[in-house]
Amino acid sequence: MLDHYIRAKRAEKDILLMTHIVLGYPTMDKSLQIVRAMVEAGVDLMELQIPFSEPIADGPVILAANQRSLEQGATVAECMEQAKQAVSGHTIPFLFMSYYNILYKYGLDRFAADAGDAGITGTIVPDVPPEEGEEYLQAMDTRNLSPIFIYAPTTSDERMRYIAQYARGFVYCVARKGVTGEATAFSRELDEYLARCRAATDLPLALGFGVKNQADVDFLKGKVDIAVIGSETIRVIDEQGVGAVGDYIRGLAA
Amino acid sequence: MLDHYIRAKRAEKDILLMTHIVLGYPTMDKSLQIVRAMVEAGVDLMELQIPFSEPIADGPVILAANQRSLEQGATVAECMEQAKQAVSGHTIPFLFMSYYNILYKYGLDRFAADAGDAGITGTIVPDVPPEEGEEYLQAMDTRNLSPIFIYAPTTSDERMRYIAQYARGFVYCVARKGVTGEATAFSRELDEYLARCRAATDLPLALGFGVKNQADVDFLKGKVDIAVIGSETIRVIDEQGVGAVGDYIRGLAA
Amino acid sequence: MAKPGYYGPYGGAFLPEILVATFDDFREAFASAKADPSFWQDYLDLMSTYSCRPTPLTHAENLTKHFGGAQIYIKREDLNHTGAHKANNVMGQGLLVKRMGKTRVIAETGAGQHGVATATMAAKFGFECTIYMGEVDVLRQRPNVFWMERLGATVIPVTEGTRILKDAINEAFRDWVRNMDSTHYVMGTACGPHPFPEMVTWFQSIIGLETRKQCLERVGKLPDRVFACVGGGSNAMGIFSGFLDDGDVELVGVEAGGHGVDSGEHAARLASPDASVGVAQGYKTYFLQDQDGQMRETHSVAAGLDYVGVSPILSHLRETGRVRFSAATDKEVVEALELTIKKEGLIPALESAHGFVQAFKEAPDMSPDQVIVINQSGRGDKDIFTVADAFGDPKWEKFIKDKAEEYHA
Amino acid sequence: MAKPGYYGPYGGAFLPEILVATFDDFREAFASAKADPSFWQDYLDLMSTYSCRPTPLTHAENLTKHFGGAQIYIKREDLNHTGAHKANNVMGQGLLVKRMGKTRVIAETGAGQHGVATATMAAKFGFECTIYMGEVDVLRQRPNVFWMERLGATVIPVTEGTRILKDAINEAFRDWVRNMDSTHYVMGTACGPHPFPEMVTWFQSIIGLETRKQCLERVGKLPDRVFACVGGGSNAMGIFSGFLDDGDVELVGVEAGGHGVDSGEHAARLASPDASVGVAQGYKTYFLQDQDGQMRETHSVAAGLDYVGVSPILSHLRETGRVRFSAATDKEVVEALELTIKKEGLIPALESAHGFVQAFKEAPDMSPDQVIVINQSGRGDKDIFTVADAFGDPKWEKFIKDKAEEYHA
Ligand SMILES: Cc1ncc(COP(=O)(O)O)c(C=O)c1O
Ligand SMILES: Cc1ncc(COP(=O)(O)O)c(C=O)c1O
């Protein structure tokens, strides 16, 4: 299972890297290229976002990538297909990230089945809290996919424990208030929050939102198991092209 | 007195003509020229309108003449002066026509005095009904000026008799509803109305509003003492120039 | 009052003879309506089911705090149907027209408010409707013209005279003398020949009656001062009517100071030495006129106050000292408007904002247990074209330019 | 209802974790306010002193005669302060924000009505205010933007997505997840995550409660049918709330049929087969979406109905059969608007006119002792730019062109 993979990997490394891409951005072909470059550069997990027209929890960078991908005609079926290709030949776990409506309209069971068939390991769906997740959890469970849940600095200790009951694989800790792609202060306050997260669950922890460079990643060592790089890779691609991704990732993990 | 003049003149003629001009229209000089032409053409009485900015009872033709005159800077003092010149050397009676505010602001007594000095015989002020005319009547009376009052088709027999008490010189019968310068049907209905006017007062009657040509004037013979030509002379001037006025008037009286 | 229709030396009915009979009928119909309690009841019913009466009295807590003096209350005539107190008068006259059996109404309009109100009333009552509007105003107030036309009214641009409100009044009279059998002239303010000032004041007194009652209920006492803008004087007479007999209630009318009462460009008849007594448009009052009695051009940022005459009743009430008058300049008006919007979320009409100016000047010197009522005679969103210009909003200008481009395409 | 916040299978609170705590507080604050009779009393006091509640119920006698069937009554939400029912919701939320001790409000707006209402409330309560508005709407609805800015609000044009209402909602959520400590998101309709649909409905129920009472008092019986337009569903839920338990009262919601429900260019979620159940913007309901769950572009002449989702409560009420749905096309709407203006002197908002369309279709087949109520959710003068275009008024075009010339000079 996913948490076993993480724990095993962590025995080798101080911290793992999870990166994020939007399927179909800048194009379907290029997003596959990016996946390959990232895996080769040594990332430990990958988040493949299926674009949605209303990505409410995403900031401008990922939002724009969602839109671009949809404008070019990306469909969920195609994303499923591309995901299969992305996964094949790589040994790291791949997760789907999307919004609930994408799964819901596809059919939760069918989604879980197809995702499983594609080799996907789990799903991150930021707009399904456990309270609303009954069907979702059941579908994931049936196909042995890990539903990744989220902690936020505003989540109480009690609620962290509540969420932990439904979480599988790892818990995704959001570093701060706000949406993806904004600056995060890697501070003592963050430490305290992560300590709370740690106390609430035995699962590995990932931290995302605002992780950008080696210093950020270093700060997180010993505090979480996974550093998540989201918007920043898209910025690198936007500014320096797909070819720059490998070097960027290697720079983080150095 | 004015009514004696009218009765005397009527002994000679089936019907008298009263014409109207706006002082200062088209210019002060030309309005004097027009007066001269009219008198020479044989009119029996003349109405000199002192322009007012709100000539509520006048239609578009006379309204425009009022405005033009004021735009060129006509003042009441100047009108008074021009009236004096107009009167001098002519033997027919001249009346001032204006709205009450002109007299009121000038000072009613002063107005009557200056008008009397200028040789003016009477005044037509359409927006002073007898009920509102106490000061006005007194001022006119003091200077022996005839306040001309108006009958309208909507005036009841009773009210005609009431007005007759205050009227001097003659009564100005308005031919129809509406303002100056519109067409009037010279009809049996008009006959009946004029019969009512006749029954209400011993004063001579003038009829105005819409009298335009010889046929109209002929129709009025035996019914009223004076035919009043108002807007139509201004139309003639506007269309054919000041020189055409004499011929036009002669055509009416033929 | 010695003579009927007179208020001291002001008022009267300086009518062309052709209209005398019409006014006899009109006076009689009005007198009988006024004497008939069921008429006023019908009026109240209409206003509470078709418009939104009683309109609220809003405690302006933020403005009160801002000025740190008297408690400021605002009477909300802006919430009337069609957005101003004009509705009161117009609906009342509508009932009277029905009672008189006439089938057509005409009206003058300056800002267009009274025109829209009259056209609305005509639609509701099924009357034919013609609105006279100075050509200059037709151009300035196109949105109101648009709605009048949608309401089924014929809007006639008046090209005579100075092509503004007073000329529209003259044209309306010219229509009336032609069509008085079928037609009633719905005068928009407490001016004109008797019984217009009395009648319009009567219908508008609904404002004052409500305000008095609301004050007693809400504040437990009468207001110390009542402020209202004064164009023709109808909203002012409306609210003042509730307090005329309450000697301790100070009544303050605020006229259009335009570019300043010393500038010659204003419409202050009772608050400047520039006006004098005269007779025009059928009644005697203070007019902004020259020595000869020719009416002068007036100026105000608020089209509805941009008028040469003023209610004869107010001329009289100034003389008796019962009502005090002041003027507010265009600049002060825009500032008071801005402040009121920001502090209270209320958008008074530019006209109404004149009353706010004077109230804001006096409030700080009063004590917190004193009470001020300002009559918000109308809402200001109708003024967007003027207000946007007053604020010089570049985004608004761009919007209009783009819209024009669209139409050119 | 098994789960709180659910209406049959619709509703819920599909929240990003970061907002869960905020919603816990919000839900609690709302529940305590709802349980506290003094809160509702404060709300009634505010609405009767700051807005004009109760709003009248107008008997549309001319329309009734015109159609020769049911008695047509119109509930006059257009007479609210700021010109629409939006004020009810916004003022209620203002009181709640005060109770929660927050100091800043944000809101989305499409037509600008809800934005103006929120900015007004913020001015009145002294809150900071940011309004999110799709860039397309900012351009279309400049007058409302102008007033929001005057009211002290910051208007942020949303350049993401399709740059209309739904995108403004997304942006508002993005603001909220940053600033939830100080900030309340004032949702404008009965949509969004629980407790928004319930809360907005509760505040808007003031419409239905009044209407029910007014009907009984004035007509002596309940209405036979009640019509309301449906954008997000707040005005409809508001008036329907008064009659949900009165089984004999038929409730009819009218959606935006745009160019026709078969044209693909409309915003009919419950009255067309084009919508399907989905989850977006935090709640589950019918959305106009493609097979993949991507939201589609919608179209309506009425900006306030131009939305992909619909209140989950209405989705449920359709399913239970309690509310019947239909759609009105743009063309029908403009015709109904024109007729209503001419016949009654009322100018419904383009949104509201949708309800009129369906009522007019059904009234002739009903008997004169039956009673229809239409909810006139807002006034249409805000729509002048759209309505003038719909009527293709050349004089309006000329006015705008001339105004643009002035600005170019
Ligand atoms: C909102 C508003 N207030 C005031 C006035 C001035 O009129 P009055 O002095 O008769 O109240 C007008 C006239 O158009 C108006 O529209
Ligand atoms: C006047 C008016 N009516 C109706 C609506 C639609 O909203 P709802 O369905 O929430 O009442 C709007 C939205 O802006 C509106 O402005």
Side-chain angles (χ1 to χ4, degrees):
Chain A
M1 295 297 306
L2 185 52
D3 51 327
H4 296 151
Y5 165 83
I6 293 166
R7 284 189 231 278
K9 246 321 171 48
R10 273 281 278 107
E12 300 161 21
K13 278 175 145 186
D14 284 346
I15 195 159
L16 311 187
L17 284 187
M18 177 163 88
T19 52
H20 164 279
I21 66 145
V22 175
L23 287 166
Y25 182 81
T27 62
M28 274 294 173
D29 284 352
K30 285 203 176 136
S31 57
L32 276 194
Q33 252 176 272
I34 297 166
V35 169
R36 224 167 294 130
M38 285 177 166
V39 178
E40 280 164 17
V43 306
D44 305 293
L45 301 97
M46 274 222 63
E47 238 184 298
L48 307 177
Q49 179 164 358
I50 304 174
F52 180 45
S53 58
E54 322 299 315
I56 212 167
D58 282 301
V61 172
I62 297 180
L63 172 58
N66 273 262
Q67 271 173 246
R68 248 327 257 303
S69 173
L70 289 175
E71 277 161 22
Q72 292 172 349
T75 63
V76 178
E78 207 178 350
C79 290
M80 213 44 107
E81 188 49 45
Q82 293 288 312
K84 192 181 232 160
Q85 292 189 34
V87 171
S88 76
H90 300 304
T91 54
I92 65 162
F94 282 80
L95 310 172
F96 266 146
M97 186 267 164
S98 195
Y99 290 83
Y100 189 55
N101 202 46
I102 295 298
L103 286 71
Y104 181 83
K105 279 293 286 187
Y106 198 85
L108 290 162
D109 290 334
R110 185 178 151 226
F111 188 91
D114 288 2
D117 290 350
I120 292 291
T121 308
T123 49
I124 306 178
V125 186
D127 61 347
V128 189
E131 290 89 342
E132 300 289 1
E134 199 175 327
E135 282 175 86
Y136 163 66
L137 288 167
Q138 181 145 8
M140 295 301 124
D141 193 52
T142 308
R143 296 293 170 162
N144 252 323
L145 293 170
S146 299
I148 310 300
F149 279 96
I150 290 169
Y151 284 174
T154 51
T155 310
S156 66
D157 294 349
E158 188 191 339
R159 184 168 171 83
M160 283 184 178
R161 287 192 297 273
Y162 166 75
I163 291 171
Q165 299 170 44
Y166 300 98
R168 299 288 176 270
F170 63 92
V171 172
Y172 189 128
C173 304
V174 164
R176 50 156 174 78
K177 293 171 188 174
V179 290
T180 56
E182 296 165 350
T184 294
F186 289 88
S187 60
R188 236 181 73 85
E189 215 179 314
L190 185 58
D191 280 355
E192 283 165 18
Y193 159 53
L194 289 176
R196 289 205 301 120
C197 298
R198 178 55 78 210
T201 179
D202 295 331
L203 286 175
L205 297 181
L207 184 115
F209 280 39
V211 181
K212 287 209 284 280
N213 52 35
Q214 198 184 345
D216 298 344
V217 175
D218 282 347
F219 176 93
L220 294 173
K221 283 181 184 164
K223 293 163 187 162
V224 297
D225 304 286
I226 305 167
V228 185
I229 296 100
S231 303
E232 198 57 24
T233 56
I234 297 186
R235 268 198 207 105
V236 168
I237 294 162
D238 286 350
E239 286 163 19
Q240 305 168 46
V242 175
V245 169
D247 282 349
Y248 170 66
I249 301 288
R250 271 183 292 271
L252 293 175
Chain B
M1 297 297 302
L2 184 54
D3 53 327
H4 296 151
Y5 164 84
I6 294 166
R7 284 190 231 280
K9 250 314 168 55
R10 273 284 276 107
E12 300 161 21
K13 280 173 142 184
D14 284 347
I15 194 159
L16 310 188
L17 284 187
M18 177 164 86
T19 52
H20 163 278
I21 64 143
V22 175
L23 286 167
Y25 183 81
T27 63
M28 274 293 171
D29 284 353
K30 284 201 178 141
S31 57
L32 277 192
Q33 251 176 275
I34 297 167
V35 169
R36 223 166 295 131
M38 285 177 165
V39 177
E40 281 165 17
V43 305
D44 306 292
L45 301 97
M46 274 223 63
E47 238 184 299
L48 307 177
Q49 180 163 359
I50 304 174
F52 180 45
S53 58
E54 322 299 315
I56 212 165
D58 283 301
V61 172
I62 296 180
L63 171 58
N66 272 261
Q67 270 173 244
R68 250 324 259 304
S69 174
L70 289 175
E71 278 160 20
Q72 292 171 347
T75 64
V76 179
E78 207 178 350
C79 289
M80 211 43 105
E81 188 51 42
Q82 293 288 312
K84 190 181 232 161
Q85 292 190 34
V87 171
S88 76
H90 300 305
T91 54
I92 63 160
F94 283 81
L95 310 172
F96 267 146
M97 186 267 166
S98 195
Y99 289 83
Y100 189 54
N101 202 46
I102 295 298
L103 288 72
Y104 182 83
K105 279 293 286 184
Y106 198 84
L108 290 162
D109 290 335
R110 185 179 153 224
F111 189 91
D114 288 2
D117 291 349
I120 292 291
T121 307
T123 48
I124 306 178
V125 185
D127 61 347
V128 189
E131 291 89 342
E132 301 288 1
E134 200 175 325
E135 284 174 84
Y136 163 67
L137 288 166
Q138 181 147 4
M140 295 299 124
D141 192 51
T142 307
R143 297 291 170 162
N144 253 321
L145 294 169
S146 298
I148 310 300
F149 279 96
I150 291 169
Y151 284 174
T154 52
T155 310
S156 67
D157 295 348
E158 189 193 338
R159 183 169 173 82
M160 282 183 178
R161 286 191 299 273
Y162 165 76
I163 291 171
Q165 298 170 43
Y166 300 96
R168 298 290 175 270
F170 63 92
V171 171
Y172 188 128
C173 304
V174 164
R176 49 157 175 78
K177 294 172 189 173
V179 289
T180 56
E182 296 165 350
T184 295
F186 289 88
S187 60
R188 236 181 74 84
E189 213 179 313
L190 185 59
D191 282 353
E192 284 164 18
Y193 159 55
L194 289 175
R196 289 205 300 121
C197 298
R198 178 56 79 210
T201 179
D202 294 333
L203 285 175
L205 296 181
L207 184 115
F209 280 39
V211 180
K212 286 210 284 279
N213 52 34
Q214 200 185 346
D216 298 343
V217 175
D218 283 347
F219 175 92
L220 294 172
K221 285 181 184 164
K223 292 165 187 161
V224 297
D225 304 286
I226 306 167
V228 185
I229 296 98
S231 304
E232 197 58 23
T233 55
I234 296 186
R235 268 198 206 107
V236 168
I237 293 163
D238 286 350
E239 286 163 18
Q240 304 169 46
V242 176
V245 169
D247 282 352
Y248 170 66
I249 300 289
R250 274 183 289 272
L252 294 174
Chain C
M1 267 169 269
K3 258 164 107 179
Y6 269 86
Y7 311 90
Y10 311 110
F14 292 82
L15 295 170
E17 181 57 29
I18 189 86
L19 277 180
V20 167
T22 304
F23 268 79
D24 286 345
D25 294 346
F26 172 25
R27 253 193 343 266
E28 215 168 281
F30 169 57
S32 109
K34 198 170 171 180
D36 176 358
S38 79
F39 182 85
W40 186 258
Q41 191 54 53
D42 287 350
Y43 174 61
L44 291 183
D45 289 349
L46 179 63
M47 295 314 288
S48 67
T49 59
Y50 185 65
S51 189
C52 203
R53 303 215 71 94
T55 58
L57 183 68
T58 301
H59 190 190
E61 294 171 85
N62 301 326
L63 286 171
T64 299
K65 213 153 113 193
H66 180 77
F67 289 109
Q71 302 300 317
I72 300 174
Y73 283 81
I74 297 172
K75 178 62 173 169
R76 301 291 303 284
E77 292 303 303
D78 59 305
L79 292 173
N80 265 301
H81 183 47
T82 73
H85 71 294
K86 299 280 172 193
N88 304 328
N89 170 36
V90 151
M91 291 298 150
Q93 291 200 46
L95 286 174
L96 195 68
V97 172
K98 209 170 116 186
R99 197 177 166 104
M100 293 191 291
K102 297 194 171 185
T103 57
R104 177 172 176 266
V105 291
I106 57 175
E108 86 293 348
T109 197
Q113 286 307 104
H114 177 58
V116 169
T118 304
T120 298
M121 176 273 275
K124 167 86 178 159
F125 282 95
F127 303 141
E128 251 188 282
C129 180
T130 299
I131 304 293
Y132 291 93
M133 190 168 184
E135 195 182 38
V136 171
D137 292 328
V138 169
L139 295 178
R140 290 194 287 201
Q141 308 284 342
R142 174 59 58 186
N144 278 333
V145 176
F146 178 80
W147 292 121
M148 287 184 254
E149 290 180 346
R150 295 287 83 69
L151 286 157
T154 305
V155 179
I156 300 191
V158 175
T159 56
E160 322 295 347
T162 43
R163 298 174 294 136
I164 60 171
L165 178 57
K166 70 176 180 59
D167 310 287
I169 294 181
N170 293 339
E171 261 332 283
F173 271 112
R174 291 186 188 107
D175 179 314
W176 207 10
V177 299
R178 257 176 233 126
N179 305 299
M180 60 278 222
D181 296 336
S182 66
T183 299
H184 176 69
Y185 176 11
V186 181
M187 175 143 290
T189 188
C191 290
H194 177 67
F196 275 123
E198 179 187 342
M199 182 187 65
V200 175
T201 296
W202 188 55
F203 288 130
Q204 294 293 4
S205 71
I206 195 170
I207 306 173
L209 297 176
E210 285 177 10
T211 307
R212 190 173 196 284
K213 187 157 170 278
Q214 287 166 325
C215 254
L216 289 174
E217 280 170 9
R218 296 263 303 284
V219 193
K221 61 169 225 164
L222 292 178
D224 295 277
R225 292 185 203 165
V226 177
F227 296 84
C229 69
V230 177
S234 69
N235 88 85
M237 279 310 304
I239 194 161
F240 293 166
S241 290
F243 304 99
L244 281 176
D245 298 336
D246 302 309
D248 290 344
V249 179
E250 264 192 89
L251 306 175
V252 187
V254 189
E255 295 187 309
H259 298 138
V261 286
D262 304 326
S263 69
E265 296 178 39
H266 62 77
R269 291 90 9 132
L270 298 178
S272 86
D274 293 4
S276 61
V277 178
V279 175
Q281 307 199 316
Y283 68 113
K284 185 190 276 190
T285 195
Y286 278 86
F287 286 98
L288 283 164
Q289 51 183 335
D290 69 15
Q291 286 185 320
D292 272 4
Q294 312 296 355
M295 297 301 143
R296 284 175 30 183
E297 285 199 34
T298 53
H299 164 80
S300 171
V301 68
L305 304 186
D306 207 351
Y307 177 54
V308 290
V310 66
S311 177
I313 313 183
L314 286 173
S315 288
H316 180 55
L317 290 172
R318 182 183 68 158
E319 212 151 276
T320 63
R322 184 67 192 91
V323 178
R324 168 158 63 86
F325 287 87
S326 65
T329 64
D330 291 355
K331 196 167 156 294
E332 291 172 326
V333 160
V334 171
E335 284 163 8
L337 178 65
E338 197 168 12
L339 186 72
T340 306
I341 298 177
K342 282 246 161 69
K343 287 278 168 196
E344 298 291 345
L346 302 178
I347 306 182
L350 284 166
E351 288 80 7
S352 321
H354 284 70
F356 286 67
V357 167
Q358 188 60 25
F360 292 173
K361 285 181 189 167
E362 301 185 17
D365 298 330
M366 296 173 69
S367 82
D369 57 352
Q370 289 190 293
V371 170
I372 272 177
V373 176
I374 312 171
N375 195 19
Q376 181 166 334
S377 54
R379 59 173 146 91
D381 43 359
K382 63 157 180 88
D383 293 323
I384 188 160
F385 283 92
T386 313
V387 176
D389 288 353
F391 283 100
D393 184 41
K395 286 183 275 184
W396 173 259
E397 293 189 8
K398 182 167 183 321
F399 166 68
I400 295 297
K401 286 182 196 167
D402 290 350
K403 199 77 202 165
E405 280 303 307
E406 228 176 79
Y407 291 144
H408 279 297
Chain D
M1 266 168 270
K3 256 165 105 180
Y6 269 86
Y7 311 90
Y10 311 110
F14 293 80
L15 296 170
E17 180 57 28
I18 189 84
L19 276 180
V20 167
T22 304
F23 268 78
D24 285 346
D25 294 346
F26 171 26
R27 252 192 345 266
E28 215 168 281
F30 169 57
S32 110
K34 197 169 172 181
D36 175 358
S38 79
F39 183 86
W40 186 257
Q41 192 52 53
D42 287 350
Y43 174 62
L44 291 182
D45 288 349
L46 178 64
M47 295 314 287
S48 67
T49 60
Y50 185 67
S51 189
C52 205
R53 304 216 71 94
T55 58
L57 182 69
T58 301
H59 189 190
E61 293 171 86
N62 301 326
L63 286 171
T64 298
K65 211 152 116 194
H66 180 78
F67 289 109
Q71 302 301 315
I72 300 174
Y73 284 82
I74 296 172
K75 178 62 173 169
R76 300 292 302 286
E77 292 303 303
D78 60 306
L79 291 173
N80 266 300
H81 183 47
T82 73
H85 72 293
K86 298 281 172 192
N88 305 328
N89 170 35
V90 151
M91 291 298 150
Q93 292 200 47
L95 286 174
L96 196 67
V97 172
K98 208 169 116 187
R99 198 177 165 102
M100 294 192 290
K102 297 193 172 186
T103 57
R104 178 172 176 265
V105 290
I106 57 176
E108 86 292 349
T109 196
Q113 286 308 102
H114 177 57
V116 169
T118 303
T120 298
M121 175 273 275
K124 167 86 177 159
F125 282 95
F127 302 142
E128 252 189 281
C129 180
T130 300
I131 303 293
Y132 291 92
M133 189 166 183
E135 193 180 39
V136 171
D137 292 326
V138 169
L139 295 177
R140 290 193 288 201
Q141 307 283 341
R142 174 59 58 185
N144 279 333
V145 176
F146 177 80
W147 293 120
M148 285 185 255
E149 291 181 343
R150 294 287 84 68
L151 286 157
T154 305
V155 179
I156 300 191
V158 175
T159 55
E160 323 295 348
T162 42
R163 297 174 296 135
I164 60 169
L165 178 57
K166 71 176 179 58
D167 309 287
I169 295 181
N170 294 339
E171 260 333 281
F173 271 113
R174 290 185 189 109
D175 179 314
W176 207 10
V177 298
R178 257 175 233 126
N179 306 298
M180 58 278 222
D181 296 335
S182 64
T183 301
H184 176 69
Y185 175 11
V186 180
M187 175 144 288
T189 188
C191 290
H194 177 66
F196 276 123
E198 178 187 343
M199 183 187 63
V200 175
T201 296
W202 188 55
F203 288 129
Q204 294 292 3
S205 71
I206 195 169
I207 306 173
L209 296 176
E210 286 177 9
T211 307
R212 190 174 197 283
K213 188 157 170 277
Q214 288 167 326
C215 253
L216 289 174
E217 281 169 9
R218 296 264 304 284
V219 194
K221 62 169 225 165
L222 292 178
D224 295 276
R225 290 183 206 168
V226 177
F227 295 84
C229 70
V230 177
S234 69
N235 89 85
M237 278 312 303
I239 195 160
F240 293 168
S241 289
F243 305 99
L244 281 175
D245 298 336
D246 303 308
D248 289 344
V249 180
E250 263 192 89
L251 306 175
V252 187
V254 188
E255 296 187 309
H259 298 139
V261 286
D262 303 327
S263 69
E265 298 178 37
H266 61 75
R269 290 93 6 133
L270 299 178
S272 85
D274 292 3
S276 61
V277 178
V279 175
Q281 307 198 317
Y283 69 113
K284 186 190 274 190
T285 194
Y286 278 86
F287 286 99
L288 284 163
Q289 52 184 335
D290 69 15
Q291 285 184 320
D292 271 3
Q294 313 294 357
M295 297 302 143
R296 285 176 28 183
E297 284 200 35
T298 52
H299 164 79
S300 170
V301 69
L305 304 186
D306 207 351
Y307 177 53
V308 289
V310 66
S311 178
I313 314 184
L314 286 172
S315 287
H316 180 54
L317 290 171
R318 181 183 69 159
E319 212 153 277
T320 63
R322 184 66 191 92
V323 177
R324 167 158 65 85
F325 287 86
S326 66
T329 65
D330 291 354
K331 195 167 159 293
E332 291 171 327
V333 161
V334 172
E335 284 164 9
L337 179 65
E338 194 166 15
L339 186 72
T340 305
I341 299 177
K342 281 249 161 66
K343 287 280 168 197
E344 298 292 344
L346 302 179
I347 307 182
L350 284 166
E351 288 80 8
S352 320
H354 284 71
F356 286 67
V357 167
Q358 188 61 24
F360 292 173
K361 285 182 188 165
E362 301 185 18
D365 297 330
M366 296 172 68
S367 83
D369 57 353
Q370 289 187 295
V371 171
I372 272 178
V373 176
I374 311 171
N375 195 18
Q376 181 166 332
S377 53
R379 58 175 148 89
D381 41 0
K382 65 159 178 87
D383 293 324
I384 187 160
F385 283 92
T386 314
V387 176
D389 287 353
F391 282 101
D393 183 40
K395 286 184 274 184
W396 173 259
E397 294 189 7
K398 182 166 183 320
F399 166 67
I400 294 296
K401 286 182 197 167
D402 290 349
K403 199 77 201 164
E405 281 301 309
E406 228 176 80
Y407 291 143
H408 279 297

